[in-house]
Amino acid sequence: MSDPCLPGPAVDTSVAVRTLCDFTARQGDLDLRFTPAPSALEGMLGHVAVRARRGAGYQSEITLEGQYRNLRVRGRADGYDPERKQLEEIKTHRGDLERMPANQRQLHWAQARVYGWLLCQKLGLQEIRIALVYFDILTRKETVLLELHSAPVLQQMFEDQCQRFLYWAQQEQRHRLARDAALLSLRFPHGEFRAGQRLLAEAVYKTAVGGRTLLAQAPTGIGKTIGTVFPMLKAMPGQGLDKLFCLSAKTSGRALTLAALQQVKQLAQVEPSEKPGQGPQAAQGQQVVALLPLRVLELVARDKACEHPDKACHGESCVLARGFYDRLPAARRDAAAASANLDQQTLRAIALSHQVCPYYLGQEMARWSDVVVGDYNYFFDQSAMLHAMTVNADWRVAVLVDEAHNLVERARKMYSAELDPGSLYLARRDAAPPVKKALARVARQWSALTCAAEADYVVCKLPEKLLLALQQAVSVIIDLMGEQPDALSADMQRFYFDALHFTRLGETFDEHSMFDLTRQAGARNADRSVICIRNLVPAPFLRARMQAAHASVLFSATLSPWRYYADLLGLPGDTIWIDVPPAFRPEQLTVRIVSDVSTRYADREASLEPIVGLIGEQFSRAPGNYLAFFSSFDYLQKALALLRTRHPAIPVWEQSRQMDEAARSAFLSRFEAGGRGLGFAVLGGVFAEGVDLPGTRLVGAFIATLGLPQVNPVNQQVCARMETRFGAGLGYDYTYFFPGLQKVVQAAGRVIRSETDRGVLYLVDDRYARRDARALFPQWWQPRVMRMADLPDDETR
């Protein structure tokens, strides 16, 4: 029977005690003042220590459950003493207990009281003592807070919480049913699939149904975004998927995904409501637009979402943290009811209308959204929020990874750590005596390592003594923060987080990473060397992330050879690989390989004249907008200076180091439709991928480099490790050749963006003529190898 207080028919719902209380019991301020929390292992050992102090009849980990209307509540109580009729909720902590935020204490009491009622119900008790047991992992001291409650009082508390949660839970169940029903009848928003797009969509759908992983190389122009999002949405009802995570490396990629999802949501349905006296012609053109009930959330970085970057995240400092949990329910309700995507601006408007923090409202809405659009780090990083939520809530999720060729380098950075001597110096400068002593030990071990180095760059075993000194320093800093959290300077906190990350990676150190030291020439002290745990193969870390997803699809225009990505990303052995045919015709792009010019470092000076001559000839023959890519800013500047001398009439503009958003926009705005000019850029930089210049905004490109990473001691070590791990001959390919050619193909992809575009591409280096290089080109290219003297006078775009 339906509950008259709830909308629609009743739906059975199950919830964990922690989730119930987290939703209903938090009150007051958002308080993120840094207080060191015990690690998961320390917390577990603390529980064991408390239980060991109890008597023989003490019961641990008691499974409990109860029912309120259509809501089943389940959980495990930490402990129960039958003789004293005392239920215990055990919490571990560090330092001064008085510094615990009030909302955290309220949450602990709420959990304990729910367990108290469930135990009374199970054992038929009329009253029970409830104890919050706080165990300090440093002092081993217990602080016990007690309450005595009758069973009816606890029952009323339990039912009040359930009632508040149940209304929301029933609403969410109905949203899920409506969402799934709509997705089952969802139609492709563009009517017909493009060439290649159907093949991609079918592969994605089958991957979702089979619970597999797909690696899809799909060329520009077929509509990869909608071609992956649509079939995954269609698969959600049948596969019981709770969430879809759409991950990208750049803001532009997220914007494309959000636009595609908004298109999918806007389903136009024609209702020919013919009235008496009117024929069917009168109803033509009348449309009723029904929005797909799909909640789409964009997650953005904290520094981009923060309204008050000069304030700390607690109620005494920031107005948006003050009373956050009191105003959160109304903000959450409005966000859930929004018909538009919860992109950065929409979520910000809702948050500010309720005077809550947009960033933390976004984190809350990740629990209640159907599709979450965000950066790679939200799922793949060491402390990834979406991965943690997936595991803790036992969600069934699918993951789409856009521009997946970027994931290799991004993941390597996620699982690498570097310590700079400057951060140690700043941390020591004003440190309290115990911390200063611990940091002095770090400095001594660091100096000893630096002195022992036989060269200015060395790779060696992980230094256990230095790692131990860092671990001890981290522990001392944590102890100090527990007692005097305000005593830590910004420099100390910065060093603490860097050292903590370093030590955690040290604990998982294996053949997938290497430890290296880079010393200033001739230096012998710690203040002249940088130490690094450098991840080379992120596969062992990413594998667990992939396994947490029901299905994963990684797609990009440049994923060749597929074995390279499978090896480095840790993809399952049964991963599906497809190479989607292009939407473009070979005659749309004239590809010329200039085989008698070398852009190797030793030959760069000699290469400038022929490259500038080639650019000038092509521009005079077919004026328009072009991009010229070089391997470095130094190379770019030399070519630009010579071009200005030889061809002063050609309008030019250039990429500079550390361009901000405004400068980037200004660079791209020069590429006007029908315009004439030349933009100079660095291969692998911000203008080499993710840039869309269709039609006559761009008619050609010159790539005067093979894009190979720099040959230096670090990359040579990486090369040797790749050779050992993956086999003879693959060291060079995995370190230099494959990453270089991937950047070239990405940059070349800026020229042809649609079926009507036409353009020209010059690949300037003799190595492009080699068979192994040409094997990595897109299938639809038909490159022609030529010498500078052979370039035809009638060359056209």
Side-chain angles (χ1 to χ4, degrees):
M1 180 178 295
S2 299
D3 188 328
C5 298
L6 298 175
V11 179
D12 289 339
T13 305
S14 177
V15 65
V17 171
R18 173 61 192 263
T19 303
L20 171 68
C21 296
D22 198 53
F23 186 88
T24 60
R26 287 190 182 273
Q27 300 175 8
D29 297 349
L30 177 71
D31 194 342
L32 296 177
R33 278 174 283 200
F34 183 72
T35 52
S39 66
L41 178 60
E42 288 172 331
M44 184 174 62
L45 294 175
H47 278 65
V48 172
V50 171
R51 291 166 186 158
R53 297 174 179 179
R54 302 300 188 254
Y58 188 80
Q59 301 173 18
S60 301
E61 296 289 331
I62 308 135
T63 300
L64 299 169
E65 69 173 52
Q67 192 82 17
Y68 174 75
R69 295 183 178 173
N70 304 101
L71 182 66
R72 184 172 69 88
V73 181
R74 65 194 189 282
R76 281 199 304 246
D78 289 330
Y80 177 62
D81 185 339
E83 292 185 8
R84 304 172 66 189
K85 292 185 179 179
Q86 178 170 304
L87 178 137
E88 294 187 337
E89 178 71 5
I90 303 169
K91 301 294 181 183
T92 56
H93 73 102
R94 288 177 180 269
D96 187 358
L97 192 59
E98 293 302 316
R99 294 186 177 275
M100 177 176 289
N103 59 50
Q104 194 69 19
R105 182 73 55 81
Q106 291 165 351
L107 177 62
H108 296 164
W109 273 123
Q111 292 172 345
R113 291 165 186 156
V114 169
Y115 285 128
W117 160 244
L118 295 178
L119 191 63
C120 285
Q121 187 182 48
K122 181 176 182 176
L123 301 180
L125 303 177
Q126 293 303 306
E127 67 175 17
I128 192 171
R129 285 159 56 100
I130 297 177
L132 273 182
V133 180
Y134 288 102
F135 179 77
D136 190 324
I137 63 169
L138 298 177
T139 66
R140 319 295 287 177
K141 175 187 174 182
E142 291 182 33
T143 301
V144 181
L145 307 180
L146 286 170
E147 290 182 347
L148 178 65
H149 286 291
S150 67
V153 169
L154 290 174
Q155 181 181 9
Q156 186 61 49
M157 292 178 179
F158 171 75
E159 291 181 352
D160 286 346
Q161 284 187 262
C162 289
Q163 180 64 38
R164 276 181 283 159
F165 181 81
L166 190 57
Y167 187 91
W168 177 267
Q170 297 282 21
Q171 172 186 291
E172 289 304 288
Q173 287 279 11
R174 289 175 177 82
H175 167 77
R176 174 68 174 264
L177 292 174
R179 182 202 78 176
D180 286 354
L183 290 178
L184 283 173
S185 59
L186 184 65
R187 290 177 295 179
F188 190 62
H190 299 302
E192 296 294 330
F193 286 92
R194 295 182 186 178
Q197 195 177 48
R198 178 178 290 278
L199 174 64
L200 176 62
E202 289 176 351
V204 171
Y205 185 83
K206 291 176 181 178
T207 297
V209 171
R212 304 273 293 278
T213 298
L214 171 67
L215 193 63
Q217 179 167 271
T220 299
I222 69 165
K224 293 190 292 291
T225 304
I226 194 69
T228 52
V229 167
F230 172 76
M232 196 62 85
L233 291 175
K234 286 289 289 183
M236 287 181 77
Q239 300 309 305
L241 296 179
D242 299 302
K243 313 279 183 187
L244 170 60
F245 299 150
C246 299
L247 309 176
S248 181
K250 298 183 180 181
T251 303
S252 58
R254 297 196 295 276
L256 288 172
T257 302
L258 289 168
L261 286 162
Q262 191 62 25
Q263 282 184 325
V264 169
K265 288 175 66 174
Q266 293 173 338
L267 302 177
Q269 298 177 343
V270 179
E271 293 187 359
S273 51
E274 189 175 328
K275 295 182 180 180
Q278 294 179 335
Q281 296 297 324
Q284 289 183 1
Q286 296 181 8
Q287 289 187 336
V288 176
V289 178
L291 287 178
L292 177 71
L294 188 74
R295 290 193 198 132
V296 178
L297 171 70
E298 180 188 18
L299 289 176
V300 298
R302 181 171 169 175
D303 61 343
K304 292 184 178 180
C306 182
E307 291 290 317
H308 303 291
D310 59 324
K311 307 294 184 184
C313 292
H314 58 80
E316 295 175 14
S317 177
C318 180
V319 65
L320 299 181
R322 191 177 308 140
F324 175 86
Y325 288 107
D326 301 328
R327 294 190 291 272
L328 177 61
R332 179 172 54 211
R333 181 193 62 230
D334 285 357
S339 58
N341 288 342
L342 293 175
D343 58 19
Q344 182 178 358
Q345 295 306 318
T346 302
L347 191 71
R348 176 180 182 268
I350 294 171
L352 295 184
S353 71
H354 292 277
Q355 284 294 289
V356 298
C357 173
Y359 177 72
Y360 288 101
L361 177 59
Q363 292 205 348
E364 171 67 18
M365 291 312 299
R367 304 175 187 275
W368 313 109
S369 297
D370 304 303
V371 183
V372 181
V373 181
D375 189 86
Y376 293 162
N377 66 284
Y378 282 106
F379 192 75
F380 292 112
D381 193 62
Q382 193 174 27
S383 55
M385 182 186 77
L386 292 179
H387 176 260
M389 286 182 171
T390 298
V391 173
N392 293 336
D394 197 25
W395 288 337
R396 192 173 173 89
V397 305
V399 178
L400 294 178
V401 183
D402 190 10
E403 300 296 350
H405 62 274
N406 288 306
L407 186 56
V408 173
E409 283 306 311
R410 283 290 304 277
R412 281 172 167 167
K413 291 179 180 178
M414 292 175 194
Y415 295 97
S416 297
E418 184 177 276
L419 285 180
D420 184 275
S423 63
L424 176 61
Y425 169 78
L426 293 173
R428 293 177 67 186
R429 187 173 53 182
D430 301 316
V435 177
K436 185 168 287 188
K437 183 178 179 180
L439 294 180
R441 286 195 294 269
V442 172
R444 286 195 297 272
Q445 293 299 330
W446 198 333
S447 292
L449 190 67
T450 306
C451 291
E454 297 178 354
D456 291 333
Y457 176 80
V458 293
V459 174
C460 52
K461 293 182 178 179
L462 189 68
E464 295 183 3
K465 291 183 179 180
L466 175 57
L467 189 63
L468 178 60
L470 282 167
Q471 291 169 336
Q472 291 171 342
V474 167
S475 180
V476 172
I477 295 172
I478 288 175
D479 294 346
L480 178 65
M481 286 190 289
E483 298 298 330
Q484 306 174 51
D486 297 331
L488 259 66
S489 65
D491 291 328
M492 178 64 74
Q493 287 197 30
R494 193 174 301 111
F495 176 80
Y496 164 76
F497 286 117
D498 289 345
L500 183 63
H501 182 51
F502 196 96
T503 55
R504 285 178 175 171
L505 289 177
E507 292 168 0
T508 60
F509 189 82
D510 208 335
E511 292 181 354
H512 50 65
S513 301
M514 70 182 186
F515 174 85
D516 60 30
L517 179 147
T518 304
R519 182 178 63 193
Q520 184 176 322
R524 293 294 177 184
N525 298 319
D527 61 354
R528 294 292 185 270
S529 67
V530 175
I531 55 175
C532 182
I533 293 177
R534 195 181 306 275
N535 177 255
L536 310 179
V537 182
F541 298 106
L542 300 186
R543 193 169 290 121
R545 300 296 192 259
M546 300 289 186
Q547 290 172 349
H550 168 71
S552 300
V553 175
L554 297 85
F555 60 100
S556 169
T558 51
L559 287 176
S560 291
W562 70 271
R563 188 72 257 170
Y564 166 77
Y565 293 96
D567 284 343
L568 294 184
L569 298 177
L571 303 185
D574 63 348
T575 294
I576 304 164
W577 155 254
I578 63 167
D579 191 358
V580 180
F584 306 139
R585 305 177 308 280
E587 58 267 24
Q588 287 184 253
L589 182 67
T590 300
V591 182
R592 295 286 180 254
I593 295 174
V594 181
S595 63
D596 57 345
V597 176
S598 168
T599 62
R600 296 170 181 84
Y601 185 79
D603 301 324
R604 284 183 186 172
E605 290 296 331
S607 71
L608 293 174
E609 282 286 358
I611 290 173
V612 168
L614 173 65
I615 293 174
E617 289 179 16
Q618 175 62 30
F619 190 87
S620 65
R621 185 182 305 117
N625 288 326
Y626 292 84
L627 270 168
F629 293 101
F630 296 85
S631 57
S632 67
F633 282 103
D634 179 66
Y635 197 12
L636 179 155
Q637 290 293 338
K638 290 179 178 179
L640 177 59
L642 185 61
L643 183 81
R644 281 175 168 154
T645 301
R646 298 287 188 269
H647 305 280
I650 299 178
V652 293
W653 52 97
E654 64 185 291
Q655 177 183 353
S656 60
R657 291 180 173 89
Q658 299 178 337
M659 296 176 78
D660 58 21
E661 288 292 336
R664 294 178 188 178
S665 297
F667 181 94
L668 292 175
S669 68
R670 297 288 299 271
F671 292 90
E672 297 178 346
R676 298 182 178 188
L678 184 65
F680 279 69
V682 173
L683 190 69
V686 294
F687 303 117
E689 64 174 279
V691 171
D692 192 22
L693 299 171
T696 57
R697 291 189 65 190
L698 184 70
V699 299
F702 306 87
I703 303 180
T705 173
L706 210 64
L708 305 184
Q710 185 182 31
V711 177
N712 57 34
V714 175
N715 283 335
Q716 288 296 81
Q717 284 289 335
V718 173
C719 182
R721 297 294 184 98
M722 295 294 107
E723 189 87 1
T724 300
R725 188 178 183 97
F726 297 113
L730 290 179
Y732 176 82
D733 288 346
Y734 276 32
T735 307
Y736 296 105
F737 194 58
F738 295 157
L741 267 294
Q742 173 263 309
K743 289 186 288 185
V744 169
V745 176
Q746 275 291 327
R750 302 314 96 206
V751 181
I752 303 298
R753 308 299 294 174
S754 73
E755 293 91 336
T756 59
D757 286 355
R758 299 184 71 86
V760 61
L761 171 66
Y762 285 97
L763 302 175
V764 186
D765 193 282
D766 60 283
R767 289 166 291 181
Y768 282 120
R770 289 177 1 197
R771 182 176 298 178
D772 55 352
R774 294 163 68 181
L776 298 177
F777 292 169
Q779 293 181 7
W780 65 280
W781 286 10
Q782 293 184 356
R784 185 177 177 186
V785 180
M786 306 185 72
R787 299 170 64 84
M788 286 290 296
D790 297 332
L791 292 174
D793 292 335
D794 62 343
E795 182 77 49
T796 63
R797 52 181 177 153

